[in-house]
C-alpha cells in the first residue's frame, strides 16, 4: 500500500468515527465498561495476591537440635537447609534469644518471676533455626527432609496456615482467571455485535467500493483504523479512571478500615499499572482490531 | 470485446435467470439490452461485472476468460469496466468530487493524477460547479451524471449501465442518454440495460431483446419490447 493510500485510509478511519458518532460512542462505552471491570478485578487480585504472599512469608518451620549437638554441627545443618530450593531464608535463634522472646510473650508485666530463671535458662536446649519458605505448598516436603537430618530433634510446623494459604492462593488464581476469561468473552461478544451493527449499516458503502474495483485491503483499512482507535480510546478512558480511583480508594480504605491496613500493605499504584496499562491497551486495541477485521469479512464477498 | 458462449445462470433457489446465451459485442459498439423485469438483463450485467459466476458457459471480456480470474484479481478486472446503476449507488457521506476521486483512489492513483483527472470528468458530465455538493443535494439526473463520471474516470474500455434512466424523469433520462452517446463517440463500448423502449427506438442502436432468460432478437434497429 502506497504511503498516500495509507494516510488516506488512516484519515478515513478517523473521519468514520466522527461520521458514525452513535456507533462509535456505543463501541467506546462497551469497551470502557469491559476494560474498567477487567482493571478493577486485576487491581483486587494483585492486592489479594500480595496479601497472601506477605502472609506466606511469615510462615516458618522451626528446627530443634539433639542435646549436645556441637555449634559446628548446627552451623553445617544451617548451611544444608539454606541450600534447599524451597527455602527462602534461615534464621538462627540462640537459646538466649529464644528465652528473651518467650519472656516478652509470656512474662510481660511479671518480670520478677522471669528473673528467677535468669541463672538457669529453661530454654537452654531450645536453640533453633526458623526456616522461611519460598513456596508454602512445599512445607510438607521440607519437613520430611528436615526430620531426616542427623542431629535434628524436632521439627515444628504450622500445617493449617500452610494449607489454608496454599488453598486460598490456588482459589484466588482460579477465580481471577475465570473472571478474566468471562470478561474477555463478554467484551468480544459485545464489541463484535456493536461492530456488526455499525458495519451492516454501511454494507451498501462496502458493496459500492467493491463494485468499482476496491481491493479487500483498501475497503478494510479504514474500518480497522476505526476499530483500533475505538479500542484505544475505550481502554485509555477506564485506565485513567482506574488510576485516579485506585489512589483515592487506597487512601479511603486505609483511613476508614485501620484493621485492614494493619493486616496488609496495598500494592503501589505504579506497580499495578505497570502491568495493567500495557495489558489493557493490548486487549482494547486487539479486540477492536479483531472485531472489525472478522466482522467485515463476510461483507467483502461482493 | 465482450463474448458470451452458451452462458446460463441458475440461482441457488433454482430460478433460471438466463439460458444458453450467445452474444458478441464489438469494440466501440453501443448496445441496448432490453426486456421486461425478471427477463435476466440485470443478471447479464452482474455476470459481466463478475458479481455473479455463470452456472454454465464462458464469458470473454477484452480477450480474457473472466471465469479464470481469481478472487484476488477481481478488483483489477473491475477497474477496467465502468458501471452505472439505476439507483446511482453514490457514497452518501462524500461530496461529488470525493465520489469520483474514490474510483481513482482505489487504483492507488497519485494525488496529482486525481487532481487533474477528476475536474476533467466533472466538466465532461457538466457538474464542475457542483463538486462540493453532497449527493442528497443533487437532482436524480445530476446524481446519475456523478455516477457516470465515477465510472469513466479510470478510462475503462467498457461502460455497463444497468437501467441508468430508471429513476429519472423524461428530460433527465434524455440528458443521460445523450451523455452516454457522447462517451460512446469517444470510443468507449457502451452496454445499456433498459426497459424504456421510447429511448431505445429513438437512439437507433443495436438492440438485444431478452425474454425469460433467452435472447429472442438481436438487431441493429429498435424492435418491440416483446
Amino acid at each position: 500500500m502506497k504511503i498516500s493510500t495509507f494516510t488516506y485510509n488512516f484519515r478515513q478511519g478517523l473521519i468514520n468515527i466522527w461520521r458514525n458518532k452513535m456507533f462509535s460512542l456505543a463501541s467506546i462505552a462497551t469497551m470502557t465498561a469491559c476494560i474498567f471491570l477487567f482493571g478493577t478485578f486485576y487491581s483486587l487480585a494483585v492486592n489479594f495476591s500480595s496479601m497472601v504472599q506477605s502472609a506466606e512469608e511469615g510462615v516458618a518451620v522451626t528446627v530443634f537440635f539433639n542435646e549436645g549437638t556441637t555449634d559446628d554441627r548446627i552451623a553445617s545443618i544451617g548451611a544444608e537447609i539454606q541450600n534447599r530450593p524451597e527455602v527462602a531464608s534461615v534464621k538462627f535463634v540462640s537459646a538466649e534469644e529464644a528465652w528473651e522472646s518467650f519472656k516478652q510473650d509470656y512474662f510481660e508485666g511479671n518480670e520478677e518471676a522471669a528473673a528467677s530463671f535468669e541463672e538457669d535458662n529453661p530454654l537452654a536446649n531450645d536453640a533453633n533455626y526458623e526456616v522461611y519458605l519460598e513456596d508454602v505448598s512445599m512445607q510438607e516436603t521440607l519437613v520430611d527432609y528436615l526430620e531426616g537430618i542427623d542431629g535434628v530433634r524436632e521439627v515444628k510446623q504450622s500445617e493449617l496456615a500452610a494449607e489454608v494459604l496454599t488453598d486460598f492462593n490456588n482459589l484466588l488464581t482460579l477465580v481471577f482467571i475465570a473472571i478474566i476469561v468471562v470478561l474477555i468473552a463478554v467484551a468480544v461478544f459485545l464489541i463484535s455485535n456493536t461492530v456488526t451493527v455499525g458495519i451492516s449499516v454501511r454494507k451498501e458503502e462496502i458493496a459500492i467500493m467493491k463494485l468499482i474495483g476496491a481491493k479487500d485491503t483498501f475497503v478494510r483499512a479504514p474500518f480497522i483504523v476505526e476499530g483500533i482507535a475505538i479500542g484505544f480510546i475505550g481502554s485509555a478512558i477506564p485506565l485513567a479512571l482506574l488510576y485516579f480511583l485506585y489512589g483515592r480508594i487506597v487512601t479511603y480504605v486505609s483511613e476508614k478500615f485501620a484493621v485492614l491496613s494493619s493486616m496488609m500493605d496495598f500494592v503501589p499504584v505504579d506497580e499495578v499499572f505497570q502491568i495493567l496499562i500495557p495489558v489493557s491497551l493490548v486487549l482494547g486495541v486487539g479486540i477492536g482490531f479483531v472485531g472489525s477485521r472478522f466482522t467485515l469479512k463476510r461483507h467483502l464477498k461482493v | 470485446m465482450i463474448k458470451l458462449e452458451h452462458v446460463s445462470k441458475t440461482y441457488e433457489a433454482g430460478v433460471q435467470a438466463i439460458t444458453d446465451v450467445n452474444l458478441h459485442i464489438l469494440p466501440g459498439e453501443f448496445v441496448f439490452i432490453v426486456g421486461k423485469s425478471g427477463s435476466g438483463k440485470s443478471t447479464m450485467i452482474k455476470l459481466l461485472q463478475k458479481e455473479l459466476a455463470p452456472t454454465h458457459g464462458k464469458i470473454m471480456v477484452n480477450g480474457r476468460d473472466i471465469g479464470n480470474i481469481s478472487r484476488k484479481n477481481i478488483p483489477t478486472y473491475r477497474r477496467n469496466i465502468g458501471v452505472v446503476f439505476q439507483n446511482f449507488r453514490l457514497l452518501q457521506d462524500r461530496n461529488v468530487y470525493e465520489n469520483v476521486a474514490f474510483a481513482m483512489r482505489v487504483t492507488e492513483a497519485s494525488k496529482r493524477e486525481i487532481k487533474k483527472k477528476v475536474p476533467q470528468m466533472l466538466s465532461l458530465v457538466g457538474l464542475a460547479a457542483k463538486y462540493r455538493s453532497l449527493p442528497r443535494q443533487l437532482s436524480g439526473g445530476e446524481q446519475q451524471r456523478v455516477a457516470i463520471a465515477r465510472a469513466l474516470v479510470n478510462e475503462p474500455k467498457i461502460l455497463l449501465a444497468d437501467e441508468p434512466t430508471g429513476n429519472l424523469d423524461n428530460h433527465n433520462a434524455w440528458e443521460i442518454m445523450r451523455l452516454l452517446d457522447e462517451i460512446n463517440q469517444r470510443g468507449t463500448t457502451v452496454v445499456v440495460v433498459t426497459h424504456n423502449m421510447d429511448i431505445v427506438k429513438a437512439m437507433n442502436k443495436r438492440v438485444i431483446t431478452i425474454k425469460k432468460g433467452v435472447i429472442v432478437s438481436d438487431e441493429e434497429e429498435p424492435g418491440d419490447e416483446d
Side-chain angles (χ1 to χ4, degrees):
Chain A
M1 194 181 276
K2 278 186 180 175
I3 293 175
S4 59
T5 308
F6 176 80
T7 50
Y8 170 78
N9 281 325
F10 188 80
R11 216 176 51 236
Q12 282 304 314
L14 299 183
I15 291 171
N16 282 349
I17 294 178
W18 179 248
R19 277 187 188 139
N20 306 287
K21 285 186 274 291
M22 290 317 289
F23 157 72
S24 307
L25 271 176
S27 303
I28 290 171
T30 311
M31 183 77 80
T32 299
C34 292
I35 300 284
F36 186 82
L37 281 175
F38 166 75
T40 306
F41 277 106
Y42 178 79
S43 306
L44 280 174
V46 164
N47 276 289
F48 271 118
S49 175
S50 143
M51 196 171 84
V52 172
Q53 206 180 342
S54 60
E56 278 182 358
E57 280 164 9
V59 173
V61 172
T62 317
V63 182
F64 297 95
F65 315 104
N66 288 331
E67 208 170 321
T69 308
T70 62
D71 289 350
D72 285 352
R73 179 60 195 143
I74 290 174
S76 77
I77 290 173
E80 208 176 314
I81 297 171
Q82 183 68 72
N83 284 335
R84 296 287 296 177
E86 64 270 28
V87 171
S89 64
V90 179
K91 186 185 164 200
F92 179 70
V93 180
S94 66
E96 291 70 31
E97 285 166 337
W99 173 236
E100 280 305 316
S101 165
F102 190 84
K103 273 200 296 185
Q104 272 175 18
D105 288 346
Y106 299 102
F107 286 93
E108 204 178 348
N110 197 8
E111 283 77 11
E112 285 152 28
S116 61
F117 292 103
E118 282 303 317
E119 296 307 312
D120 185 18
N121 183 354
L123 302 181
N125 201 24
D126 280 349
N128 62 73
Y129 278 123
E130 279 176 9
V131 184
Y132 295 89
L133 291 117
E134 286 279 3
D135 177 0
V136 284
S137 66
M138 296 302 288
Q139 184 174 274
E140 207 59 41
T141 319
L142 180 69
V143 169
D144 285 348
Y145 169 77
L146 294 172
E147 283 173 345
I149 297 177
D150 185 32
V152 169
R153 183 185 79 218
E154 190 185 1
V155 178
K156 280 190 176 168
Q157 57 170 316
S158 173
E159 219 166 293
L160 187 67
E163 273 174 22
V164 167
L165 284 172
T166 307
D167 288 351
F168 186 66
N169 214 357
N170 289 343
L171 181 71
L172 193 71
T173 311
L174 280 177
V175 168
F176 183 57
I177 290 172
I179 289 171
I180 298 287
V181 167
V182 169
L183 272 179
I184 292 175
V186 169
V188 171
F189 174 75
L190 287 177
I191 287 156
S192 73
N193 260 358
T194 323
V195 173
T196 306
V197 173
I199 286 175
S200 61
V201 170
R202 288 188 276 168
K203 66 178 179 211
E204 169 68 3
E205 184 183 327
I206 295 167
I208 295 168
M209 290 179 183
K210 290 286 293 177
L211 288 174
I212 61 177
K215 285 185 179 168
D216 288 355
T217 47
F218 190 92
V219 178
R220 202 185 273 136
F223 283 95
I224 288 177
V225 170
E226 204 177 325
I228 289 176
I230 285 173
F232 183 80
I233 299 168
S235 48
I237 293 172
L239 279 175
L241 212 61
L242 280 167
Y243 193 88
F244 172 76
L245 284 175
Y246 187 87
R248 293 282 169 120
I249 289 170
V250 166
T251 315
Y252 180 81
V253 171
S254 307
E255 281 171 5
K256 297 278 174 185
F257 305 97
V259 182
L260 196 63
S261 55
S262 68
M263 275 169 63
M264 65 179 284
D265 286 327
F266 287 101
V267 179
V269 66
D270 291 339
E271 207 174 297
V272 176
F273 280 76
Q274 209 172 6
I275 304 281
L276 192 57
I277 290 176
V279 169
S280 299
L281 286 177
V282 167
L283 262 180
V285 168
I287 292 171
F289 172 80
V290 171
S292 49
R293 175 90 167 64
F294 290 98
T295 317
L296 200 58
K297 206 173 175 182
R298 74 185 109 123
H299 293 290
L300 289 172
K301 288 177 185 160
V302 176
Chain B
M1 174 122 297
I2 297 174
K3 205 169 183 182
L4 276 71
E5 293 175 6
H6 305 289
V7 172
S8 298
K9 174 67 189 174
T10 309
Y11 287 107
E12 277 174 18
V15 179
Q16 182 85 23
I18 58 171
T19 310
D20 198 32
V21 166
N22 289 289
L23 179 66
H24 192 191
I25 297 171
L26 297 169
E29 266 197 293
F30 191 121
V31 180
F32 281 112
I33 298 176
V34 300
K36 286 181 175 175
S37 290
S39 60
K41 40 191 206 305
S42 290
T43 300
M44 279 178 64
I45 294 284
K46 286 179 178 168
L47 287 170
L48 289 172
Q49 259 187 296
K50 211 164 158 58
E51 199 180 336
L52 294 174
T55 317
H56 296 292
K58 189 159 91 170
I59 301 173
M60 305 284 290
V61 177
N62 291 326
R64 188 176 181 188
D65 180 353
I66 68 169
N68 293 333
I69 298 174
S70 64
R71 194 177 123 68
K72 191 181 147 218
N73 289 320
I74 292 174
T76 316
Y77 165 73
R78 285 180 181 160
R79 290 171 198 171
N80 293 312
I81 296 179
V83 195
V84 175
F85 307 94
Q86 179 176 355
N87 52 358
F88 326 126
R89 298 188 87 167
L90 298 174
L91 298 169
Q92 293 301 317
D93 51 12
R94 289 174 216 200
N95 64 26
V96 167
Y97 182 94
E98 269 308 316
N99 263 285
V100 179
F102 187 78
M104 290 189 80
R105 292 197 201 281
V106 302
T107 67
E108 302 206 18
S110 70
K111 274 185 183 174
R112 212 171 52 155
E113 282 175 284
I114 295 171
K115 277 184 180 167
K116 187 179 153 204
K117 219 44 200 305
V118 175
Q120 279 177 9
M121 290 319 301
L122 289 175
S123 295
L124 176 74
V125 299
L127 282 174
K130 295 200 172 183
Y131 74 101
R132 292 177 78 170
S133 303
L134 287 170
R136 64 172 177 273
Q137 295 166 322
L138 302 175
S139 70
E142 287 172 328
Q143 289 190 56
Q144 196 57 295
R145 281 192 269 158
V146 177
I148 291 171
R150 180 181 67 186
L152 293 174
V153 76
N154 288 326
E155 299 179 0
K157 291 186 179 130
I158 300 167
L159 178 68
L160 305 175
D162 189 3
E163 301 276 8
T165 59
N167 281 349
L168 304 179
D169 59 34
N170 210 31
H171 170 75
N172 277 309
W174 273 110
E175 287 291 311
I176 293 300
M177 277 303 156
R178 269 195 281 273
L179 185 58
L180 292 177
D181 197 24
E182 191 186 326
I183 289 157
N184 177 240
Q185 301 297 323
R186 289 166 177 243
T188 309
T189 306
V190 176
V191 179
V192 179
V193 164
T194 185
H195 60 263
N196 188 333
M197 292 311 292
D198 291 338
I199 283 179
V200 172
K201 282 173 188 167
M203 290 285 286
N204 204 26
K205 304 285 185 187
R206 179 181 169 190
V207 181
I208 297 165
T209 309
I210 301 188
K211 194 175 177 183
K212 292 181 181 169
V214 178
I215 294 182
V216 290
S217 72
D218 183 349
E219 47 197 5
E220 292 303 319
E221 295 294 320
D224 291 335
E225 197 176 334
D226 291 302

